[in-house]
């Protein structure tokens, strides 16, 4: 039987997690697009899609975000609707499915006509079935879509994936909900992250930088192994934005690493721990220019203090992506996303409450 102290500690940790993550279902996938999806109609054409087609893509993405579906899943859904209806809410079917209707050409076994013709409800139907597909995140996008749609050609959707990525990237915005309400207590932040590490939602590489988070959560102080509280907040924002993240680097002074940027890197300077490198989001490797990377950068840009920076600028340039960010952008390897704060400036993140 637990003692009073243990109960109090559990209440403290649980309460802290609610403050950190916001609690409730769906908080791991912040809203993917602006609160007014109709604004997408005013955008320039993206990959040949425009007007109401972009509005429908935005409605699909928001439906996924509401259900806690990550950007990869939202991209699969947009890809599927492209392949089924060219992102148009059509009122007719075809010879194979004369009763098919809407963005996803759902048949009458999916729901009422009104439900299937409602873009948000139709998208929700798609996501609910996608989430029941075992290991859908590790399947090829067209295989995941086929598992839901049971199309005659399982490779039908392949040719639409690049266009879907382009549309999702263009419509993705940083969502204040990903950052709002995050506290500034380092130990509470670390405790919340340790729960996610233990659940497998934060993974690491060798050398092990996740132990640096554990030490802070346990109240242990180890020389040159600390983590800037602002970086703990950045990691928390990332885990609020995605269901899982992979972290390859935090404090190089702790592990004795001296890489290309030397001891002046925020990973090492002034005791180290003023930067974090993410190698994956939602178990998908990042290039620094993919939709997940762009979503995180857009979420962080409004809240990072002056002097912050991010790498992979040439990766985005090579991909034809231009981002207007508050932080300095510089070249770096295209196998991660580097986020750093100024090691010698303690200005806090500009977080909401």
């Amino acid at each position: 039987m637990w003692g009073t102290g243990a109960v109090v500690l559990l209440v403290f940790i649980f309460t802290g997690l609610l403050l950190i993550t916001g609690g409730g279902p769906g908080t791991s996938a912040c809203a993917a697009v602006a609160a007014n999806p109709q604004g997408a109609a005013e955008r320039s054409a993206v990959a040949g899609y425009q007007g109401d087609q972009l509005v429908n893509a935005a409605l699909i993405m928001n439906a996924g975000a509401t259900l806690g579906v990550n950007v990869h899943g939202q991209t699969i859904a947009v890809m599927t609707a492209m392949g089924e209806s060219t992102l148009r809410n059509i009122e007719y079917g075809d010879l194979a499915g004369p009763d098919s209707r809407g963005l996803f050409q759902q048949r009458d076994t999916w729901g009422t006509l009104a439900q299937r013709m409602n873009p948000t409800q139709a998208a929700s139907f798609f996501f609910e079935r996608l989430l029941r597909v075992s290991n859908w995140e590790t399947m090829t996008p067209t295989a995941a879509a086929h598992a839901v749609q049971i199309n005659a050609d399982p490779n039908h959707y392949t040719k639409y994936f690049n266009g879907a990525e382009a549309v999702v990237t263009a419509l993705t915005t940083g969502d204040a909900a990903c950052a709002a309400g995050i506290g500034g207590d380092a130990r509470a932040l670390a405790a919340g992250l340790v729960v996610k590490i233990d659940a497998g939602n934060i993974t690491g590489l060798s050398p092990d930088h996740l132990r640096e988070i554990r030490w802070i959560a346990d109240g242990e102080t180890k020389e040159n192994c600390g983590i800037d509280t602002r970086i703990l907040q950045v990691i928390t924002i990332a885990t609020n934005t995605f269901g899982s993240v992979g972290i390859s680097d935090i404090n190089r002074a702790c592990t004795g690493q001296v890489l290309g940027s030397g001891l002046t890197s925020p990973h090492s300077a002034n005791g180290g721990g003023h930067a974090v490198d993410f190698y994956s989001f939602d178990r998908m490797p990042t290039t620094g220019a993919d939709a997940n990377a762009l979503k995180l950068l857009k979420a962080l840009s409004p809240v990072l203090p002056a002097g912050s920076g991010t790498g992979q600028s040439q990766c985005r340039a090579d991909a034809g992506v231009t981002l207007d960010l508050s932080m300095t952008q510089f070249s770096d390897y295209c196998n991660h996303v580097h986020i750093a704060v100024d090691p010698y400036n303690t200005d806090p993140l500009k977080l909401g409450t």
Side-chain angles (χ1 to χ4, degrees), residues 9 37 44 293 334:
L9 177 59
S44 301
C334 300

Side-chain angles (χ1 to χ4, degrees), residues 130-205:
L130 177 67
L131 293 174
R132 291 198 293 268
V133 175
S134 179
N135 299 319
W136 68 267
E137 290 181 89
T138 60
M139 301 168 67
T140 63
T142 190
H146 175 68
V148 174
Q149 299 291 109
I150 318 298
N151 192 288
D153 177 9
N155 295 311
H156 171 69
Y157 306 101
T158 301
K159 61 186 176 183
Y160 299 102
F161 186 69
N162 288 342
E165 281 194 313
V167 168
V168 170
T169 297
L171 296 182
T172 297
T173 62
D175 182 354
C178 296
I182 293 176
D185 182 280
R187 188 170 181 182
L189 289 164
L193 295 174
V194 165
V195 172
K196 296 177 181 181
I197 292 171
D198 290 341
N201 296 326
I202 301 176
T203 55
L205 299 176

Side-chain angles (χ1 to χ4, degrees), residues 9-300:
L9 177 59
L10 286 174
V11 171
F12 168 77
I13 291 175
F14 181 71
T15 303
L17 287 177
L18 288 178
L19 291 172
I20 292 168
T21 65
T27 55
S28 64
C30 300
V33 293
N36 176 21
Q38 299 300 323
E42 301 172 5
R43 292 178 177 268
S44 301
V46 181
Y49 299 91
Q50 59 187 339
D52 287 345
Q53 291 170 299
L54 294 181
V55 172
N56 288 330
L59 291 170
I60 291 169
M61 293 165 65
N62 271 356
T66 298
L67 292 173
V69 179
N70 58 37
V71 173
H72 181 56
Q74 293 170 26
T75 305
I76 290 173
V78 172
M79 172 196 73
T80 303
M82 286 177 173
E84 293 289 350
S85 66
T86 67
L87 286 176
R88 298 188 186 281
N89 200 23
I90 55 180
E91 300 178 349
Y92 53 86
D94 55 22
L95 291 177
D99 56 336
S100 299
R101 296 292 187 274
L103 291 174
F104 294 89
Q105 286 292 278
Q106 294 161 338
R107 306 191 68 170
D108 56 15
T109 54
W110 286 68
T112 67
L113 177 61
Q115 289 174 320
R116 289 177 285 147
M117 289 300 298
N118 180 303
T120 298
Q121 181 61 69
S124 297
F125 283 153
F126 176 87
F127 287 121
E128 287 165 2
R129 294 199 182 191
L130 177 67
L131 293 174
R132 291 198 293 268
V133 175
S134 179
N135 299 319
W136 68 267
E137 290 181 89
T138 60
M139 301 168 67
T140 63
T142 190
H146 175 68
V148 174
Q149 299 291 109
I150 318 298
N151 192 288
D153 177 9
N155 295 311
H156 171 69
Y157 306 101
T158 301
K159 61 186 176 183
Y160 299 102
F161 186 69
N162 288 342
E165 281 194 313
V167 168
V168 170
T169 297
L171 296 182
T172 297
T173 62
D175 182 354
C178 296
I182 293 176
D185 182 280
R187 188 170 181 182
L189 289 164
L193 295 174
V194 165
V195 172
K196 296 177 181 181
I197 292 171
D198 290 341
N201 296 326
I202 301 176
T203 55
L205 299 176
S206 180
D208 180 15
H209 286 279
L210 301 186
R211 61 180 182 167
E212 298 159 16
I213 299 174
R214 290 187 182 277
W215 288 331
I216 295 172
D218 292 339
E220 296 184 34
T221 301
K222 294 186 180 289
E223 187 176 5
N224 292 330
C225 290
I227 303 175
D228 192 311
T229 300
R230 297 170 296 177
I231 293 300
L232 291 172
Q233 291 171 321
V234 166
I235 297 172
T236 301
I237 292 170
T239 59
N240 284 359
T241 306
F242 305 101
S244 66
V245 301
I247 295 175
S248 55
D249 207 344
I250 305 178
N251 191 331
R252 290 180 192 162
C254 184
T255 56
Q257 298 164 272
V258 181
L259 303 182
S261 52
L263 298 178
T264 61
S265 166
H267 286 295
S268 303
N270 195 22
H274 307 285
V276 58
D277 290 349
F278 297 100
Y279 68 85
S280 69
F281 303 105
D282 286 326
R283 310 194 189 286
M284 300 290 293
T286 183
T287 64
D290 56 281
N292 287 337
L294 302 185
K295 181 174 182 179
L296 179 63
L297 292 173
K298 289 177 181 179
L300 290 174

